[in-house]
């Protein structure tokens, strides 16, 4: 004890006696002294402590708990205060607040390629075993090797009875490495992990105390604290009849326990052992099915019923002593399954499949698994106002470790959901949500909780105009890292180059922005089909509907340009687009920058072909009205009712109402009903046919009679007839004003547009095909009861669409620094810096204030060879641009309801589907489907 005490700086102990109390319970220890003890050991130990022991004492008069919340390197608050429990959390979730110690075979521990044992200082203990079979108890005395020191490195060639004491994080890291290593070896031989290489962990109750007289630790393993089966296993491991037993402590917990006892000097006197603490030790080892172990199992089975006070016979084989038994553990005493590592499902708490899907993709991200199984707590930023005081990161780390623990049952992520809801309140409750939206908030929350930058510096943006893009991009990235530095940034964040061009002054602005994921629009999300009816004003062509494809977020200019090509618009013509509602022009779409998103599918649009030379003339809108008769109590009532699509024209000369009439008749020419038997009735009788032809053509020619023919008899007759068949009224605010044929129209010369109401007689209704005026298709009419063919597109096409230049929307204007005005600039994004983990979000859902939609487009994405070299603007020769798919978040169903699952590559192209708490293997050819929603790629080195 004196040797250990001399190593302490007691002046520091005195200085630390006034420090704040710990929020942990320690058995008979001075809390300020424990605070000091943690500070001292933080310089000596380099291990991660995120494990639990059963914290109870055999002493009835002392209910304090042994402090196992110690972490020598992470400056953190006690675990119990970080992970406050909710009232609805179940008892099994309390395990997340505890810490676990694992006893593993040392050779197995050393096999890992990560050489964890060589990196972390260990303390070597020689173990003397005193088997007191009369009392059914094993007493182990752990004496520290004086030559080992506090940071002795583990040596090679240790005995077969050497074990390592590690914490849960280091155990999981090593276990995962062995799991991956075995999977790699077996994959080369094309068979799965063998059953005889499975692994088991069982819980052993031990009593730990410190002996000041011998300066050693005492461990008691008794039958009364354990079941017969577990006690037998302990006898196999710690039997005194075998060669010398050694235990390497890489957890730092034995040193901590000794230090606590030494600091608590008043409670320990020479010859009086310290108080015993009942702890739970997780014993871990390999089973190999051999004849020898089967015989050993049979021998122990025979002695099981007669154990009691009798002596347990064991042999001294060093081979057997390092192996666990092959028989199945009793329920609750242990678990097997190295081959099942990382294949644990998540319970659905109620519409939480979106969360489960995204979590499974994240917890199988290699870099994040290694990070959260390691010493991630040292990076927790408790003072970040944008974070959750580390609570979200700790909850995620706990959840990840549960999912990677072998033999675990499906986990209920209640605590994690509670912590997430505090960071993002929209995820509280049990409503349906979007997995990509959840993923974005989770990554952002983890970044803020793990941001290594404790005080973010203010960095003023500099004018980089004229500088090379490489220099500007590097400066932007350095500025970003100066304020944001976390595992999320290291792994998941890349960099865009964003280019804006002012459409007026051509000012170019280039910025470099970070991104966490890439959202790729599908072709159906970028384009929409629209049907418009084109009306000609030349008196020749009938109205013709045209269906065109335009950008969904495009402008009216895009629609006019596309429609001009579709209808073969001449150079001397222009299009005037209008929305028709209740037989009137509801609005004119005459602003080229208007957004097409304002046009709904059930709108009715027309486009009038007008000559360019008339653009300065007043626009006349002809509104059609017909007589509607109603009968009520034997009385006939007549009133005028609008019908058809308005016709428009531009008229220069308004000195006479006849100009308006003539222009209207010209517009109606294409709607004249065909003359029957004009040619077919010709039978060789020239005179008779001529008479019939003249009489029938009279009605066709007469509407086109001009004012110059008024002086003739026929002209006067036609003019009189037309005046009686059509009536024209100028619509004003007071009352309609009839337009006289030979008198000027009473409008202001500054008027740019006016409406004219045209009253149709019954005779004219028969003469013209008014059905062509009344039938107008909608912009888009969905086909009911018809299944659209499955759309298919490659991921490369989606990338090309994402990188195309497009105009900003009217609600997203850019303030041009040169024009000093908001401008609807053209924007182009380029990939500049790619992350280690590339998350690709396929934009299947579209929303606006009128409707929601989901696209079932099948996206053909590569699995093994996604090469982005052709899509990145800046090539870094030191980094690969090749990626491999390892996880997919899927969405099945539509907008009203759906379900999320996940596909995960468990290594070596072994794919599994995670459907909440159900996990099962799937073949690689099944993972491509139209349900793929979020794709997870990892960077691979080019061959």
């Amino acid at each position: 004890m004196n040797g250990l005490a001399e190593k302490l700086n007691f002046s520091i102990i005195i200085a630390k006696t006034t420090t704040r109390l710990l929020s942990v319970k320690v058995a008979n220890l001075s809390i300020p002294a424990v605070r000091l003890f943690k500070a001292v050991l933080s310089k000596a130990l380099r291990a991660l402590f995120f494990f639990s022991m059963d914290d109870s004492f055999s002493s009835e008069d002392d209910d304090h708990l042994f402090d196992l919340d110690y972490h020598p390197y992470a400056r953190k608050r006690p675990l119990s205060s970080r992970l406050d429990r909710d009232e609805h959390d179940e008892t099994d979730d309390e395990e997340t607040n505890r810490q676990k110690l694992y006893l593993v075979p040392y050779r197995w521990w050393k096999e890992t390629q990560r050489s964890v044992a060589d990196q972390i200082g260990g303390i070597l203990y020689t173990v003397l075993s005193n088997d007191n079979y009369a009392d059914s108890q094993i007493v182990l005395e752990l004496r520290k090797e004086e030559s080992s020191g506090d940071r002795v490195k583990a040596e090679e060639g240790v005995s077969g009875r050497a074990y390592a004491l590690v914490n849960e994080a280091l155990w999981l890291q090593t276990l995962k490495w062995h799991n991956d290593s075995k999977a790699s070896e077996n994959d080369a031989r094309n068979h799965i992990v063998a059953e005889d290489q499975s692994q088991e962990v069982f819980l052993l109750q031990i009593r730990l105390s410190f002996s000041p007289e011998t300066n050693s630790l005492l461990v008691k393993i008794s039958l009364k604290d354990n079941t017969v089966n577990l006690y037998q296993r302990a006898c196999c491991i710690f039997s005194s009849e075998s060669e010398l037993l050694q235990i390497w402590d890489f957890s730092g917990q034995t040193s901590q326990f000794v230090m606590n006892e030494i600091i608590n000097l008043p409670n320990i006197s020479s010859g009086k052992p310290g108080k015993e603490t009942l702890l739970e030790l997780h014993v871990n080892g390999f089973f190999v099915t051999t004849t020898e172990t089967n015989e050993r199992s049979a021998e122990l089975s025979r002695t099981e019923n007669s154990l009691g006070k009798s002596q347990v016979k064991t042999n001294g084989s060093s081979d057997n002593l390092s192996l666990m038994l092959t028989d199945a553990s009793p329920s609750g005493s242990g678990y097997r399954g190295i081959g099942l590592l990382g294949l644990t499902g998540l319970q659905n708490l109620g519409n939480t499949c979106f969360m489960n899907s995204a979590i499974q993709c994240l917890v199988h991200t290699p870099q994040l698994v290694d990070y959260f199984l390691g010493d991630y707590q040292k990076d927790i930023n408790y003072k970040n106002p944008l974070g959750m005081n580390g609570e979200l990161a700790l909850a995620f780390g706990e959840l990840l470790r549960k999912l990677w623990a072998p033999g675990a049952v499906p986990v209920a992520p209640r605590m994690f959901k509670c912590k997430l809801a505090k960071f993002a309140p929209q995820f509280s409750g049990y409503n349906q949500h979007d997995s990509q939206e959840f993923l974005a908030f989770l990554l952002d929350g983890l970044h803020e909780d793990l941001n290594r930058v404790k005080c973010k510096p203010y960095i003023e943006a500099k004018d980089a105009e004229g500088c090379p893009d490489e220099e500007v991009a590097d400066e932007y990235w350095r500025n970003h890292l100066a304020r944001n530095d976390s595992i999320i940034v290291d792994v998941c964040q890349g960099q865009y180059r964003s280019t804006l061009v002012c459409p007026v002054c051509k000012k170019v602005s280039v910025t470099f922005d970070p991104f966490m994921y890439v959202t790729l629009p599908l072709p159906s999300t970028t384009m929409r089909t629209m049907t418009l009816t084109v009306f000609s004003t030349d008196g020749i062509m009938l109205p013709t509907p045209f269906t065109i494809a335009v950008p969904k977020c495009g402008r009216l200019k895009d629609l006019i340009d596309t429609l001009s090509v579709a209808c073969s618009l001449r150079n001397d013509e222009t299009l005037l687009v209008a929305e028709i509602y209740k037989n009137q022009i509801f609005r004119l779409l005459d602003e080229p920058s208007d957004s097409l998103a304002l046009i709904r599918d059930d709108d009715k649009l027309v486009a009038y072909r007008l000559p360019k030379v008339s653009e300065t003339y007043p626009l006349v809108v002809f509104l059609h009205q017909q007589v509607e008769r109603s009968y009520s109590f034997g009385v006939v009532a007549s009133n005028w009712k609008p019908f058809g699509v308005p016709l428009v024209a531009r008229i220069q000369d308004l000195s006479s109402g006849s100009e308006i009439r003539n222009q209207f008749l010209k517009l109606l020419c294409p709607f004249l009903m065909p003359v029957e038997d004009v040619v077919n009735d010709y039978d060789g009788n020239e005179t008779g046919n001529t008479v019939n032809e003249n009489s029938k053509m009279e009605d066709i020619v007469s509407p086109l009679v001009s004012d110059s023919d008024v002086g003739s008899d026929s002209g006067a007759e036609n003019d009189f007839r037309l005046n009686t068949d059509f009536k024209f009224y100028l619509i004003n605010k007071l009352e309609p004003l009839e337009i006289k044929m030979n008198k000027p129209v009473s409008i202001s010369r500054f008027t740019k547009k006016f409406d004219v109401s045209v009253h149709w007689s019954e005779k004219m209704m028969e003469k013209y095909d008014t059905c062509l005026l009344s039938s107008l298709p909608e912009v888009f009419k969905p086909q009911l009861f018809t299944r659209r063919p499955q759309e298919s597109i490659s991921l490369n096409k989606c990338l090309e669409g994402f990188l195309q230049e497009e105009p900003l929307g009217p609600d997203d204007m850019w303030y041009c620094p040169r024009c000093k005005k908001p401008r609807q600039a053209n924007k182009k994004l380029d990939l500049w810096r790619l992350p280690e983990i590339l998350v690709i979000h396929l934009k299947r859902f579209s929303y606006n204030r009128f409707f929601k939609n989901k696209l079932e487009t099948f996206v053909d994405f590569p699995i093994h060879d996604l090469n982005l070299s052709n899509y990145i603007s800046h090539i870094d020769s030191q980094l690969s641009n090749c990626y491999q798919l390892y996880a997919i978040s899927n969405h099945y169903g539509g907008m009203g309801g759906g379900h999320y699952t996940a596909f995960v590559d468990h290594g070596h192209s072994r794919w599994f589907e995670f459907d909440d708490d159900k996990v099962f293997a799937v073949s690689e050819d099944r993972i491509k489907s139209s349900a793929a929603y979020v794709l997870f790629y990892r960077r691979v080195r080019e061959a």
Side-chain angles (χ1 to χ4, degrees):
M1 182 179 70
N2 293 334
L4 289 174
E6 290 176 357
K7 298 179 182 180
L8 294 177
N9 188 337
F10 286 99
S11 62
I12 300 179
I13 296 177
I14 297 174
K16 294 293 184 176
T17 54
T18 57
T19 56
R20 64 182 180 87
L21 299 179
L22 296 173
S23 57
V24 292
K25 299 179 180 180
V26 183
N28 294 331
L29 296 182
S30 168
I31 293 180
V34 174
R35 178 74 174 179
L36 163 67
F37 161 70
K38 293 189 175 186
V40 174
L41 286 188
S42 66
K43 300 179 181 179
L45 303 177
R46 301 188 58 81
L48 174 64
F49 300 100
F50 199 44
F51 45 92
S52 106
M53 288 187 176
D54 230 19
D55 310 312
S56 59
F57 286 89
S58 58
S59 175
E60 297 180 358
D61 59 351
D62 195 342
D63 60 350
H64 292 295
L65 298 178
F66 178 54
D67 176 16
L68 286 178
D69 188 40
Y70 167 71
H71 190 299
Y73 303 107
R75 294 183 296 276
K76 62 185 180 66
R77 295 173 296 171
L79 193 61
S80 57
S81 65
R82 295 194 316 268
L83 298 178
D84 297 328
R85 312 304 300 172
D86 293 322
E87 293 179 358
H88 63 273
D89 285 351
E90 295 185 357
T91 306
D92 58 349
D93 284 341
E94 291 293 342
E95 293 182 1
T96 59
N97 285 343
R98 302 174 184 171
Q99 302 176 359
K100 300 176 182 178
L101 283 178
Y102 289 81
L103 185 70
V104 301
Y106 180 76
R107 290 187 183 276
W108 176 82
W109 163 263
K110 287 288 293 181
E111 283 177 1
T112 174
Q113 291 180 354
R114 300 183 185 276
S115 301
V116 178
D118 289 335
Q119 298 174 7
I120 301 174
I123 299 177
L124 175 61
Y125 289 92
T126 300
V127 182
L128 302 178
S129 177
N130 179 16
D131 303 340
N132 191 351
Y133 295 118
D135 296 331
S136 298
Q137 180 175 259
I138 304 173
V139 179
L140 305 177
E141 184 179 354
L142 279 64
R143 294 189 177 182
K144 179 180 175 183
E145 292 287 342
E146 293 297 331
S147 60
S148 65
D150 288 340
R151 295 179 59 88
V152 169
K153 300 297 181 182
E155 301 292 339
E156 298 292 341
V158 294
S159 69
R161 296 200 65 201
Y163 289 87
L165 194 63
V166 297
N167 56 54
E168 184 184 36
L170 296 178
W171 175 70
L172 283 174
Q173 283 181 310
T174 309
L175 188 61
K176 182 178 181 299
W177 180 90
H178 278 281
N179 181 79
D180 296 342
S181 176
K182 293 295 183 183
S184 178
E185 295 174 4
N186 292 324
D187 182 70
R189 297 192 295 268
N190 294 321
H191 62 78
I192 62 173
V193 177
E195 177 65 23
D196 61 358
Q197 293 177 344
S198 63
Q199 195 166 21
E200 184 185 44
V201 174
F202 64 91
L203 306 181
L204 192 64
Q205 300 291 335
I206 65 173
R207 295 180 181 273
L208 180 65
S209 62
F210 176 67
S211 173
E213 185 175 300
T214 59
N215 194 21
S216 61
L217 286 171
L218 297 179
V219 177
K220 294 181 180 180
I221 308 172
S222 63
L223 181 61
K224 69 177 182 178
D225 295 327
N226 299 279
T227 63
V228 172
N229 179 274
L230 297 184
Y231 183 71
Q232 290 173 348
R233 294 167 183 249
C235 293
C236 293
I237 299 173
F238 304 111
S239 172
S240 61
E241 298 180 7
S242 302
E243 62 181 293
L244 183 66
L245 179 64
Q246 293 178 317
I247 293 180
W248 288 88
D249 178 23
F250 297 103
S251 71
Q253 290 303 289
T254 57
S255 177
Q256 177 186 355
F257 183 82
V258 172
M259 197 69 68
N260 287 343
E261 294 295 312
I262 294 175
I263 293 175
N264 196 20
L265 293 176
N267 293 332
I268 296 182
S269 59
S270 179
K272 180 182 179 182
K275 291 184 178 297
E276 291 183 349
T277 303
L278 183 62
L279 304 176
E280 194 173 75
L281 182 65
H282 296 248
V283 183
N284 169 207
F286 289 109
F287 305 65
V288 178
T289 305
T290 62
T291 304
E292 190 174 8
T293 54
N294 286 335
E295 293 175 355
R296 180 67 174 154
S297 175
E299 177 185 350
L300 290 177
S301 298
R302 287 192 300 268
T303 61
E304 179 175 352
N305 295 329
S306 60
L307 182 62
K309 301 278 183 180
S310 63
Q311 187 174 12
V312 179
K313 303 294 183 182
T314 62
N315 60 42
S317 171
S318 61
D319 293 334
N320 267 346
L321 290 174
S322 62
L323 302 175
M324 298 296 104
L325 299 179
T326 58
D327 57 333
S329 302
S331 176
S333 64
Y335 47 85
R336 296 187 185 183
I338 185 172
L340 302 179
L341 198 65
L343 299 180
T344 303
L346 285 165
Q347 293 181 14
N348 193 320
L349 305 179
N351 286 330
T352 57
C353 58
F354 73 94
M355 180 178 75
N356 295 346
S357 173
I359 287 176
Q360 292 291 5
C361 294
L362 278 186
V363 300
H364 287 87
T365 299
Q367 293 90 331
L368 295 184
V369 174
D370 293 340
Y371 178 79
F372 281 98
L373 290 183
D375 189 9
Y376 76 93
Q377 298 179 36
K378 69 179 185 299
D379 291 336
I380 291 181
N381 191 335
Y382 294 108
K383 298 182 179 180
N384 189 352
L386 301 178
M388 272 283 296
N389 299 324
E391 293 183 10
L392 182 62
L394 287 166
F396 181 79
E398 295 279 1
L399 183 60
L400 182 144
R401 292 181 176 187
K402 278 188 174 184
L403 294 175
W404 276 95
V409 296
V411 177
R414 291 187 179 88
M415 183 193 65
F416 170 79
K417 184 178 182 299
C418 176
K419 299 303 177 183
L420 176 76
K422 290 183 179 180
F423 179 78
Q426 64 269 38
F427 296 111
S428 60
Y430 299 95
N431 296 325
Q432 296 182 5
H433 292 281
D434 186 283
S435 68
Q436 187 274 333
E437 180 186 2
F438 162 80
L439 181 69
F441 277 95
L442 176 57
L443 289 176
D444 185 55
L446 291 177
H447 159 66
E448 296 297 348
D449 266 2
L450 298 170
N451 196 349
R452 304 179 187 103
V453 180
K454 309 304 179 184
C455 182
K456 296 185 178 182
Y458 171 75
I459 301 176
E460 185 177 358
K462 299 179 181 179
D463 186 7
E465 188 173 1
C467 297
D469 282 351
E470 290 77 8
E471 295 181 8
V472 179
D474 289 343
E475 182 178 359
Y476 269 88
W477 190 248
R478 287 193 300 270
N479 294 344
H480 176 66
L481 294 183
R483 297 173 55 85
N484 303 276
D485 183 16
S486 69
I487 182 64
I488 305 300
V489 175
D490 298 341
V491 173
C492 300
Q493 285 196 357
Q495 192 178 31
Y496 285 138
R497 179 178 65 185
S498 177
T499 305
L500 292 172
V501 180
C502 178
V504 179
C505 69
K506 305 304 179 183
K507 164 71 176 176
V508 178
S509 173
V510 179
T511 58
F512 293 86
D513 305 311
F515 68 87
M516 194 91 72
Y517 49 86
V518 178
T519 297
L520 298 185
L522 305 186
S524 299
T525 62
T526 59
M527 305 295 289
R528 64 181 292 195
T529 58
M530 301 179 68
T531 300
L532 295 89
T533 304
V534 178
F535 283 76
S536 176
T537 58
D538 58 5
I540 300 176
M541 299 176 59
L542 283 170
T544 306
F546 290 91
T547 300
I548 58 176
V550 294
K552 183 170 286 188
C553 297
R555 299 174 295 182
L556 179 63
K557 181 180 182 299
D558 302 318
L559 183 149
I560 293 177
D561 291 344
T562 306
L563 185 60
S564 300
V565 175
C567 70
S568 301
L569 192 71
R570 299 194 305 268
N571 293 333
D572 60 346
E573 291 181 313
T574 184
L575 289 177
L576 177 64
V577 182
E579 179 183 346
I580 306 301
Y581 180 68
K582 291 186 176 180
N583 308 110
Q584 298 183 31
I585 293 181
F586 179 72
R587 59 170 176 154
L588 290 174
L589 283 69
D590 53 1
E591 180 59 47
S593 61
D594 282 350
S595 173
L596 296 181
L598 301 176
I599 300 176
R600 298 172 296 181
D601 286 345
D602 56 352
D603 289 342
K604 296 182 178 181
L605 298 185
V606 298
Y608 299 102
R609 300 177 67 149
L610 297 169
K612 285 185 178 180
V613 295
S614 66
E615 289 181 343
T616 58
Y617 303 160
L619 181 69
V620 182
V621 179
F622 295 99
L623 304 174
H624 314 289
Q625 293 199 10
Q626 63 179 342
V627 174
E628 182 182 53
R629 292 183 174 86
S630 60
Y631 300 88
S632 177
F633 302 103
V635 178
V636 179
S638 300
N639 51 42
W640 293 97
K641 177 184 177 182
F643 74 96
V645 179
L647 302 177
V648 302
R650 291 191 182 274
I651 303 177
Q652 179 182 14
D653 185 10
L654 295 176
S655 60
S656 173
S658 299
E659 277 298 320
I660 293 179
R661 181 201 66 185
N662 293 338
Q663 185 62 47
F664 178 72
L665 294 177
K666 179 181 178 181
L667 296 175
L668 283 183
C669 277
F671 299 94
L672 278 170
M673 297 291 287
V675 179
E676 297 178 0
D677 303 327
V678 172
V679 179
N680 295 336
D681 288 348
Y682 180 73
D683 57 1
N685 186 348
E686 184 176 352
T687 303
N689 289 336
T690 303
V691 173
N692 291 336
E693 182 178 342
N694 290 337
S695 63
K696 292 178 179 180
M697 289 297 293
E698 179 181 1
D699 289 338
I700 301 177
V701 178
S702 60
L704 301 179
V705 177
S706 64
D707 286 347
S708 61
D709 300 327
V710 173
S712 64
D713 294 338
S714 62
E717 180 183 353
N718 290 331
D719 187 65
F720 174 78
R721 181 173 60 81
L722 287 174
N723 279 331
T724 59
D725 291 338
F726 287 108
K727 295 292 184 179
F728 299 89
Y729 295 90
L730 181 65
I731 300 177
N732 55 33
K733 295 182 179 179
L734 299 177
E735 61 181 7
L737 179 65
E738 185 175 359
I739 298 176
K740 302 297 183 179
M741 292 301 99
N742 296 317
K743 293 183 180 181
V745 181
S746 58
I747 63 171
S748 171
R749 62 188 181 92
F750 299 106
T751 301
K752 295 183 178 180
K753 172 183 173 294
F754 61 93
D755 297 335
V756 173
S757 175
V758 183
H759 289 190
W760 287 59
S761 67
E762 292 182 0
K763 183 178 181 180
M764 290 298 101
M765 295 292 294
E766 295 176 358
K767 186 179 291 291
Y768 292 94
D769 188 357
T770 56
C771 293
L772 297 177
L773 281 173
S774 301
S775 58
L776 194 62
E778 296 180 355
V779 168
F780 177 75
K781 185 70 173 179
Q783 300 296 323
L784 299 178
F785 309 110
T786 58
R787 187 174 183 87
R788 298 177 62 184
Q790 176 70 47
E791 296 181 87
S792 178
I793 192 69
S794 68
L795 187 67
N796 291 339
K797 289 294 183 181
C798 298
L799 283 166
E800 292 170 4
F802 170 75
L803 299 176
Q804 282 183 351
E805 182 178 343
E806 62 178 3
L808 295 175
D811 299 330
D812 191 22
M813 305 281 274
W814 172 61
Y815 185 83
C816 178
R818 184 178 295 170
C819 297
K820 306 297 182 183
K821 291 182 179 180
R823 298 294 187 190
Q824 198 168 10
N826 294 320
K827 182 177 182 179
K828 187 179 188 310
L829 289 176
D830 294 290
L831 296 174
W832 188 266
R833 190 189 308 267
L834 295 177
E836 289 296 314
I837 297 299
L838 179 63
V839 180
I840 296 179
H841 166 222
L842 302 178
K843 192 175 181 181
R844 294 195 177 276
F845 301 100
S846 59
Y847 308 86
N848 60 34
R849 51 181 185 162
F850 301 108
F851 65 91
K852 303 176 183 179
N853 185 39
K854 182 196 173 184
L855 296 172
E856 298 290 347
T857 305
F858 176 82
V859 179
D860 187 10
F861 47 86
I863 298 177
H864 301 288
D865 51 357
L866 175 61
N867 192 332
L868 298 178
S869 298
N870 295 330
Y871 302 99
I872 186 169
S873 300
H874 174 64
I875 303 296
D876 189 343
S877 58
Q878 297 181 353
L879 294 176
S880 169
N881 296 318
C882 295
Y883 286 82
Q884 179 174 342
L885 185 73
Y886 72 91
I888 307 173
S889 176
N890 301 302
H891 179 269
Y892 300 92
M895 297 297 301
H899 182 60
Y900 286 94
T901 67
F903 289 136
V904 172
D905 181 6
H906 204 250
H908 309 283
S909 299
R910 296 175 301 163
W911 286 88
F912 289 85
E913 182 171 5
F914 291 79
D915 185 358
D916 288 333
D917 57 344
K918 298 181 289 294
V919 182
F920 44 87
V922 294
S923 59
E924 187 174 277
D925 57 359
R926 281 191 52 204
I927 66 174
K928 287 188 180 183
S929 71
S930 59
Y933 184 43
V934 185
L935 309 176
F936 292 76
Y937 283 90
R938 59 181 177 86
R939 191 196 301 271
V940 295
R941 305 304 170 191
E942 297 182 67

